[in-house]
Amino acid sequence: MIDLRVHQAKPAQLAAWIHRHWSIEYTVHWVRDITYGEDRSQIRTGTGPEVMAASRNAAIGALRLTGVTSIAAATPTSRSR
């Protein structure tokens, strides 16, 4: 990655950076929130939130490793269906 000042970056470079940034949101955070209802979770104390986030990430990763393209369709209790 090249460090550039704002006025040095070309539109294509900015677009690529923005795309990379949001791809994380779409591939992990969005799935955790929509499919697994993470924002609605009432687990709020101790290490519970971190443990559940790690569990959700592990489930998503395991499904993706097996070639699943729709996490919602592969999740029996999915909230997004």
Side-chain angles (χ1 to χ4, degrees):
M1 181 169 191
I2 300 171
D3 290 332
L4 299 173
R5 296 187 185 272
V6 155
H7 66 279
Q8 295 174 313
K10 294 181 171 96
Q13 292 169 311
L14 291 173
W17 180 85
I18 291 167
H19 178 75
R20 280 192 307 272
H21 172 78
W22 283 104
S23 69
I24 295 168
E25 179 67 24
Y26 295 137
T27 59
V28 179
H29 298 122
W30 190 85
V31 172
R32 282 182 14 198
D33 182 32
I34 300 303
T35 303
Y36 293 116
E38 187 170 71
D39 285 351
R40 290 184 305 275
S41 175
Q42 294 185 14
I43 299 171
R44 307 219 191 291
T45 59
T47 59
E50 289 86 0
V51 169
M52 289 306 298
S55 298
R56 291 178 187 109
N57 286 343
I60 292 166
L63 289 168
R64 290 201 194 281
L65 283 173
T66 63
V68 169
T69 56
S70 173
I71 304 297
T75 304
T77 59
S78 172
R79 300 180 191 277
S80 64
R81 290 196 274 159

